[in-house]
Amino acid sequence: GSGAAGITAALAARGVIGPDGSARPVPRDAPAVVLLNNERRLGLKILVSGGGRCNLTNARVDEHDYQTDAPHVLRGLLRGYSAQVARSYFEQRGCKTYEEPLGKVFPRSNKARDVLQVLLGDVQRAEIPLLAPAEVTRLTPPTAPGHGWRVTLSDESSWSAQRVILATGGMSLPKTGSRGFGLTALAELGHDMAPS
């Protein structure tokens, strides 16, 4: 998916985001990364979040804001990419932010499109192909050591990938493309689904 999580994961995998949110040139040994999005239009959930303003983060985020059976992993993630780094990422790219009294952080322009443009601009600078529409219908794990994943699209074409990041969203807003494929795919791969 090419929403905020998918784009950020792709940029991190490509090695173009510094630990402070700064932009880095594409490393010589950067892995090839491809973004697939099931909808032709990109960032639909970004564009509607926060009433069209896009709540980027909260001023304070800690482990108690999440439910997990791996709190040590979560703590490491939050230390590695804090709310301040997330905010700095946008600020450094010209998307100034502000904090509301309850701690929500928005772009100063109050336009979600500005947030999407920052993310898509970094995808372009990182030379990451973005295919849309490209609806994934099946993920097949490697069948032997050294083999890759098989990623099958709705037109029955398929890709081979060493690693797959599943960033498809849940089912909270189907009109944005989040129809639950990720949950179905994870269940088919043997993961248990915790009730929400």
Side-chain angles (χ1 to χ4, degrees), residues 50-160:
R53 296 185 300 147
C54 191
N55 179 198
L56 294 170
T57 187
N58 291 326
R60 285 161 297 289
V61 178
D62 69 38
E63 64 186 279
H64 304 293
D65 297 325
Y66 299 90
Q67 180 180 355
T68 179
D69 60 356
H72 61 288
V73 173
L74 177 61
R75 282 192 295 274
L77 290 170
L78 292 175
R79 276 194 305 273
Y81 198 79
S82 67
Q84 186 51 49
V85 169
R87 190 171 181 176
S88 178
Y89 170 86
F90 288 97
E91 294 267 351
Q92 291 179 44
R93 287 155 181 80
C95 183
K96 300 303 179 191
T97 64
Y98 75 96
E99 180 183 335
E100 288 191 338
L102 294 178
K104 291 182 179 179
V105 176
F106 291 92
R108 193 173 294 161
S109 66
N110 280 320
K111 294 179 182 174
R113 181 150 305 281
D114 292 345
V115 172
L116 180 58
Q117 290 308 317
V118 165
L119 293 168
L120 293 176
D122 265 10
V123 166
Q124 186 174 19
R125 277 188 291 283
E127 301 170 2
I128 298 173
L130 198 164
L131 306 178
E135 184 177 4
V136 176
T137 56
R138 190 169 56 253
L139 292 174
T140 308
T143 55
H147 291 172
W149 287 77
R150 180 64 47 196
V151 179
T152 305
L153 304 182
S154 59
D155 64 3
E156 291 304 314
S157 64
S158 64
W159 296 61
S160 179

